[in-house]
Amino acid sequence: MAAYAGRDTSRTQRLDWWVAKLGGVSLADLTDDHVFTALEQLATQRGRYFAGKDADGKPVMKAKRRPLAPATLNRYQAALSAVLTWAQRRRIAPKNWQNPCRHVELKAEKNEIVRFLSDAERTALLAACRKSSWPRLYLLVMMGLTTGARRGELEALRWADVDLERAEAAVHRSKNGDKKVLPLVPAVVDELAKHAGAANALVFPSTRRPDIAYNFDPAWDRALKAAGVKSFRFHDLRHSCASALAQNGATLLEIAEVLGHRQLSVTKRYSHLATDHKTKLINRVLGDIR
């Protein structure tokens, strides 16, 4: 982990699980059967979620109803594979040894469903956010909806990253490690101006601990309930942004640039909405054929 330069904070927890499962197996003896069997056992377990703290201030974790998702199992496999690849590069692994994770097939992930707001849902949700007891919920949701930024990117924003004159906000390091600029629509600029703070202060700080981001989940849940919006996560604001772009003529390349996708394969989930651009392209190039 000392050599790990990524931003996945859950990787340590996954590697701790592998240590408990296979820590007694030497690298030379580790096979794909070990990896496969461990993952099969993991597939029967249920995930857990944070449910608050007990009287002593310790975190309380509760089990979810369903088993771990295929995507989660793949992340466990990827974490172990990364360590083994690192061992090969550092010449720790035996000569001509092969990474056994590469001989275990990844689980099929079902990420095709994209949830985005209808016009009526968007209007109702924004109205509910304006009435929230947390005065910055409307700003946060507007930024998520109009920039397509991830939750963590918005929570990490500081006022030094915001340029109201240029109507831009800088994300110094996104999920994939890239820098990117978030264009700000006029309504967001106006709302930011109402809350402007010290350069080093967070844009969305906790009221008790200004050095960490505000836990807006309760306010968000209340707004969803008040608006009558069901089965919608904060991350779905990102999908709503992309879907709106796709339905108004943006190309997949343009959507990928806004969202910060490195691979167009990730952006293709919105391709069925980007029909306007394809229609114009076909008619421009082939429309005169008789």
Side-chain angles (χ1 to χ4, degrees):
M1 287 305 299
Y4 177 59
R7 303 190 68 189
D8 185 358
T9 56
S10 61
R11 177 164 288 200
T12 300
Q13 177 262 323
R14 291 175 186 140
L15 291 180
D16 285 343
W17 184 86
W18 281 112
V19 169
K21 206 73 180 174
L22 301 177
V25 181
S26 69
L27 194 57
D29 294 332
L30 185 64
T31 68
D32 53 337
D33 287 337
H34 287 107
V35 178
F36 177 82
T37 302
L39 289 172
E40 288 294 293
Q41 294 173 355
L42 181 62
T44 64
Q45 298 180 17
R46 291 188 294 172
R48 298 191 301 165
Y49 65 94
F50 177 71
K53 296 183 179 180
D54 60 19
D56 298 323
K58 296 180 179 179
V60 176
M61 305 298 293
K62 291 187 177 181
K64 296 180 180 179
R65 295 181 179 180
R66 298 180 180 179
L68 293 174
T72 302
L73 299 175
N74 289 343
R75 302 304 171 267
Y76 271 85
Q77 184 173 336
L80 176 61
S81 182
V83 171
L84 300 181
T85 298
W86 177 83
Q88 287 179 299
R89 291 174 178 171
R90 297 292 298 171
R91 302 296 189 268
I92 298 173
K95 194 173 183 63
N96 298 323
W97 180 85
Q98 293 187 344
N99 184 342
C101 289
R102 298 188 177 181
H103 300 287
V104 178
E105 187 176 4
L106 292 171
K107 306 292 184 183
E109 298 185 20
K110 299 179 181 179
N111 295 325
E112 298 86 1
I113 299 176
V114 177
R115 173 73 165 97
F116 56 91
L117 293 169
S118 66
D119 291 345
E121 286 179 323
R122 182 181 66 247
T123 300
L125 179 58
L126 291 176
C129 290
R130 282 183 177 274
K131 298 177 182 178
S132 173
S133 58
W134 182 46
R136 304 194 188 197
L137 182 62
Y138 174 72
L139 170 60
L140 178 68
V141 172
M142 276 290 289
M143 290 190 73
L145 186 61
T146 60
T147 68
R150 298 178 177 88
R151 173 174 179 159
E153 294 168 351
L154 295 174
E155 289 179 326
L157 277 181
R158 297 183 182 274
W159 288 108
D161 304 323
V162 178
D163 188 331
L164 295 180
E165 291 187 5
R166 293 176 61 87
E168 294 177 347
V171 174
H172 297 291
R173 192 177 184 188
S174 63
K175 182 181 177 181
N176 57 27
D178 295 334
K179 293 181 179 181
K180 67 179 182 180
V181 174
L182 307 177
L184 306 176
V185 299
V188 168
V189 172
D190 292 342
E191 198 67 22
L192 281 166
K194 298 177 184 178
H195 302 283
N200 198 43
L202 291 170
V203 176
F204 303 105
S206 167
T207 52
R208 294 183 179 180
R209 291 187 54 189
D211 57 316
I212 63 175
Y214 184 82
N215 178 20
F216 64 85
D217 289 324
W220 167 251
D221 291 339
R222 287 192 295 269
L224 288 174
K225 186 175 181 180
V229 177
K230 299 179 180 180
S231 302
F232 193 81
R233 307 162 301 168
F234 188 85
H235 187 77
D236 292 328
L237 291 173
R238 182 171 164 84
H239 294 321
S240 296
C241 174
S243 299
L245 292 173
Q247 292 178 75
N248 286 277
T251 67
L252 291 183
L253 187 61
E254 289 170 333
I255 296 171
E257 185 176 357
V258 170
L259 297 188
H261 289 162
R262 282 185 177 179
Q263 298 178 337
L264 276 179
S265 58
V266 181
T267 319
K268 282 184 178 179
R269 67 178 69 182
Y270 309 108
S271 60
H272 67 289
L273 300 171
T275 56
D276 183 61
H277 174 77
K278 289 184 286 187
T279 300
K280 290 180 179 178
L281 175 64
I282 292 295
N283 280 285
R284 178 170 59 82
V285 178
L286 304 171
D288 294 333
I289 294 179
R290 292 288 187 270

